[in-house]
Amino acid sequence: MRFSPLLDELIKSLQVLPGVGPKSAQRMAFALLERQRAGGRKLAHVLEQSLDRIGHCRQCRTFTEEEICPICANPKRALGGQLCIVESPADVVAIEQTGQFQGRYFVLMGHLSPLDGVGPEELGLDRLADWLAAEQFEELILATNPTVEGEATAYFIADIARSHGVRVSRIAHGVPIGGELELVDGNTLSHSLMGRKAFAD
Amino acid sequence: MRFSPLLDELIKSLQVLPGVGPKSAQRMAFALLERQRAGGRKLAHVLEQSLDRIGHCRQCRTFTEEEICPICANPKRALGGQLCIVESPADVVAIEQTGQFQGRYFVLMGHLSPLDGVGPEELGLDRLADWLAAEQFEELILATNPTVEGEATAYFIADIARSHGVRVSRIAHGVPIGGELELVDGNTLSHSLMGRKAFAD
Ligand SMILES: [Zn+2]
Ligand SMILES: [Zn+2]
């Protein structure tokens, strides 16, 4: 015990947050107690409410406290017939921030990982298949991560989509805009070469 | 609104934590919802309890949920008659971790800062004077920060201590152990020169 028991417990509990070790947890605990008591109380309340009420969208599986998330509930998002497959709700945010996509999402909440017991069922792929059967999509965009698992998951889902007659695309991978070739890893550079397009394109 | 309202509120509430901006708050919210629901619930509960119950030690002003903190309550800490003045509870932790100090502390919870309305009363200096009057200390060690405000606060408290006939010392400032002279700022180097000791000391 370094402090009083309750303060020790607070410092320990704060370490459940990603990227927060003993040192920053201590700094957080002191800051809350010293000058953020109202904000801290609000955080405790909102956190409890969130854990009680936030679940997954019944249609796209992203986080929401409603039955259906705001994106799925927006009829305009269905107009183009595009469905974008991502691994996590954070990916939805990243894509929304580009302002380049007006369709809907399906959030896997992970990727295929047999060793960790994550199979098609855990990713909700049966529900995705039902959705593809119930609604005629124009295009399914695979935006899983460019990792071994993300690629394997993309291939698996591409098969499902094709069996429903839906056109499938994969987001482009390559040298980041503004990036320098010599600083990019070989794997990315290979992708960049293989994915080359005619210059006038 | 980028997510559902409650999720937006959670991300906003998390930003009350020091060093947590919108991006890391989002990452924290998702991590809690995805795989730390039990830990998050625990955090909400402990945080609420802490804000309700943790106040200041009646004697030394550090954080504790008791009337008197464990250090003040330990009769062994009174034996040497040493009292160390620090600005914050985090400083108590830092000094305790050195294992070099067996006395008691008085925590100012800040430093003199007239422009911010922080005077002797806010730092509990009347209570410190009462303590110095009630108990005969051997030594009062000033461990406020080596900043303009910390120095001014140290001078002010030194006067109080001397008026009670208590010997006063200030922790040494200088080149950090393992530090390189050329990397230390000039002010620290000046302190280090002025605070020099005979080599055989
Ligand atoms: Zn949805
Ligand atoms: Zn105390």
Side-chain angles (χ1 to χ4, degrees):
Chain A
M1 192 190 69
R2 296 163 57 202
F3 303 102
S4 296
L6 186 55
L7 186 48
D8 283 341
E9 211 183 338
L10 175 59
I11 293 171
K12 202 171 135 219
S13 299
L14 282 162
Q15 294 176 53
V16 77
L17 299 169
V20 177
K23 197 97 188 178
S24 34
Q26 181 189 305
R27 197 161 49 93
M28 287 174 170
F30 286 163
L32 289 167
L33 290 166
E34 269 172 47
R35 48 182 188 276
Q36 294 284 9
R37 290 198 174 233
R41 249 175 246 283
K42 169 101 189 205
L43 171 58
H45 177 72
V46 172
L47 179 54
E48 193 184 15
Q49 287 284 305
S50 296
L51 292 167
D52 281 347
R53 292 172 42 204
I54 295 177
H56 297 280
C57 172
R58 200 154 45 85
Q59 183 160 274
C60 77
R61 309 206 341 147
T62 201
F63 289 130
T64 179
E65 70 269 25
E66 328 268 356
E67 277 280 288
I68 295 289
C69 78
I71 291 177
C72 287
N74 180 351
K76 285 186 195 151
R77 307 288 305 225
L79 295 179
Q82 288 179 315
L83 185 63
C84 183
I85 312 291
V86 294
E87 293 188 21
S88 82
D91 299 333
V92 173
V93 184
I95 293 176
E96 285 295 290
Q97 278 169 348
T98 69
Q100 294 295 307
F101 180 70
Q102 311 301 327
R104 286 170 293 173
Y105 296 91
F106 187 80
V107 182
L108 302 170
M109 300 299 299
H111 47 238
L112 289 177
S113 182
L115 292 181
D116 301 317
V118 181
E121 197 179 336
E122 284 70 29
L123 302 183
L125 297 189
D126 45 351
R127 219 188 306 176
L128 174 63
D130 289 348
W131 196 5
L132 295 179
E135 195 173 330
Q136 186 54 51
F137 283 98
E138 292 296 321
E139 182 184 6
L140 185 138
I141 301 169
L142 295 163
T144 53
N145 290 326
T147 57
V148 173
E149 297 85 357
E151 291 295 342
T153 307
Y155 275 98
F156 194 93
I157 295 172
D159 280 344
I160 299 177
R162 290 196 195 100
S163 76
H164 287 88
V166 183
R167 185 158 54 94
V168 181
S169 65
R170 178 93 173 100
I171 55 166
H173 301 117
V175 180
I177 306 297
E180 293 181 50
L181 249 65
E182 64 175 26
L183 300 179
V184 170
D185 66 289
N187 200 4
T188 300
L189 206 49
S190 301
H191 261 92
S192 174
L193 280 168
M194 291 186 294
R196 69 190 181 278
K197 297 179 183 184
F199 193 56
D201 205 11
Chain B
M1 191 190 68
R2 295 162 59 202
F3 303 101
S4 296
L6 187 55
L7 186 48
D8 283 340
E9 212 184 337
L10 175 59
I11 292 170
K12 201 171 137 222
S13 299
L14 281 163
Q15 293 175 54
V16 76
L17 300 170
V20 177
K23 195 97 188 180
S24 35
Q26 180 189 305
R27 197 161 48 91
M28 286 174 171
F30 286 163
L32 289 168
L33 290 166
E34 268 171 48
R35 49 181 187 276
Q36 295 284 12
R37 289 196 173 235
R41 248 175 246 284
K42 170 97 191 213
L43 171 58
H45 176 73
V46 172
L47 179 53
E48 194 184 14
Q49 288 284 306
S50 297
L51 293 167
D52 281 347
R53 292 173 42 204
I54 295 177
H56 296 280
C57 172
R58 200 155 45 85
Q59 183 160 275
C60 76
R61 308 205 342 145
T62 200
F63 288 131
T64 179
E65 70 268 25
E66 328 268 354
E67 278 281 291
I68 294 289
C69 78
I71 290 176
C72 288
N74 180 352
K76 285 187 196 152
R77 307 290 304 225
L79 294 180
Q82 289 179 314
L83 185 63
C84 182
I85 311 291
V86 293
E87 293 189 22
S88 81
D91 300 333
V92 174
V93 183
I95 294 176
E96 285 296 290
Q97 278 168 349
T98 68
Q100 294 295 308
F101 181 70
Q102 311 301 327
R104 284 171 294 173
Y105 297 92
F106 186 80
V107 183
L108 302 169
M109 300 301 298
H111 46 237
L112 289 176
S113 181
L115 293 180
D116 302 316
V118 181
E121 197 179 337
E122 283 69 28
L123 302 183
L125 297 188
D126 45 350
R127 217 187 309 175
L128 174 62
D130 289 348
W131 197 5
L132 295 179
E135 192 172 330
Q136 186 54 51
F137 282 98
E138 292 297 320
E139 180 182 7
L140 186 139
I141 301 170
L142 295 163
T144 54
N145 290 326
T147 57
V148 173
E149 297 86 355
E151 290 295 342
T153 307
Y155 276 97
F156 195 94
I157 295 173
D159 280 344
I160 300 178
R162 288 195 196 99
S163 77
H164 286 87
V166 182
R167 184 159 55 94
V168 181
S169 65
R170 178 95 173 98
I171 54 166
H173 300 116
V175 180
I177 304 298
E180 292 182 51
L181 248 67
E182 64 175 26
L183 300 178
V184 171
D185 66 289
N187 200 4
T188 299
L189 205 50
S190 301
H191 261 91
S192 174
L193 279 167
M194 290 186 295
R196 68 189 181 280
K197 298 180 181 183
F199 194 54
D201 207 10

